[in-house]
Amino acid sequence: MYALPKILTAASLTLGTALTATAGGFTPPVVDAGVVAPIVETASSDWQGAYGGLTLGYAFNGKDEVGFSGSTGNEGDLGTLELNGVNGGLRVGYRWQRGNWVFGPELGYETGNIEDSISFGDSDSTTEVTSKVKNVLALRMKTGYAVRPDLLVYGIAGIARADVEYKAEVTSATASESQNRDFKKNGFVVGMGVEKQLTERMSVTGEYEYAQFGKTDRTFTIGGESATTEATPKYHNVKVGLNFKF
């Protein structure tokens, strides 16, 4: 009979000790969440500053419609000069950088053999018309984004001035006569490009551009007769280049 009270007393003391030990509240188990990698923001390379460079290009798919009108009437569309050819150039520019955005002006000069000739006529005479873009001076604005620290993609827009050689030659069974009606014409260029840094000061570029120089009347007087056509030089151009940062 006396054993039961002793057992109850011992149990009460054990429970009281346990409650006292945990009086500070419930402590949740510690769970190891693993190692969390820090987020590192990639900084872009320094594109800002002055630079100069060289380009080598090929112009293609040029369009210059030929159609004479004059004292003998309107002869309509006589053919299309498909301007094409190799061209090379020099360029200098300056760029500013704001974060990954890079922008600035560029002055370029290109020369080469962007040209074509067409012939038409009858049994009495043949007329050959030649158009050649001798050189182009362009002021471009390039705006780009550094998609990687060493890789820049950009758009191109600018104004350009072309020096064009325009010639007509009439050949008959008894004579040959030619006249040059060269001209300079303002126009525009638009395009896009990509630039890859090779070292801190040297990079390579690849570009596509479309150049257009509007319409210019050209009047020829051959054999005592005058005839006028509209010169409309325009062409596409793909270029590779090498830039050097100053």
Side-chain angles (χ1 to χ4, degrees), residues 56-169:
L56 178 64
Y58 184 79
F60 64 97
N61 201 30
K63 300 291 182 183
D64 193 342
E65 307 291 341
V66 178
F68 283 101
S69 62
S71 58
T72 58
N74 188 350
E75 298 187 46
D77 185 8
L78 297 172
T80 301
L81 293 159
E82 298 181 354
L83 303 175
N84 62 86
V86 176
N87 54 94
L90 303 171
R91 59 188 174 190
V92 292
Y94 190 90
R95 294 187 281 218
W96 292 272
Q97 184 168 358
R98 299 294 181 268
N100 283 41
W101 289 100
V102 181
F103 54 92
E106 179 184 282
L107 182 65
Y109 176 83
E110 293 156 10
T111 185
N113 295 308
I114 305 175
E115 61 182 325
D116 193 27
S117 298
I118 59 170
S119 297
F120 48 86
D122 50 31
S123 57
D124 294 329
S125 65
T126 300
T127 300
E128 181 180 64
V129 177
T130 301
S131 179
K132 177 181 179 180
V133 179
K134 296 192 293 185
N135 57 71
V136 173
L137 181 66
L139 179 61
R140 301 171 174 88
M141 183 67 183
K142 294 185 173 181
T143 303
Y145 188 84
V147 296
R148 291 203 325 241
D150 62 344
L151 188 65
L152 181 70
V153 294
Y154 52 89
I156 304 168
I159 56 174
R161 184 170 179 83
D163 186 355
V164 182
E165 180 182 284
Y166 206 84
K167 178 181 177 182
E169 182 175 4

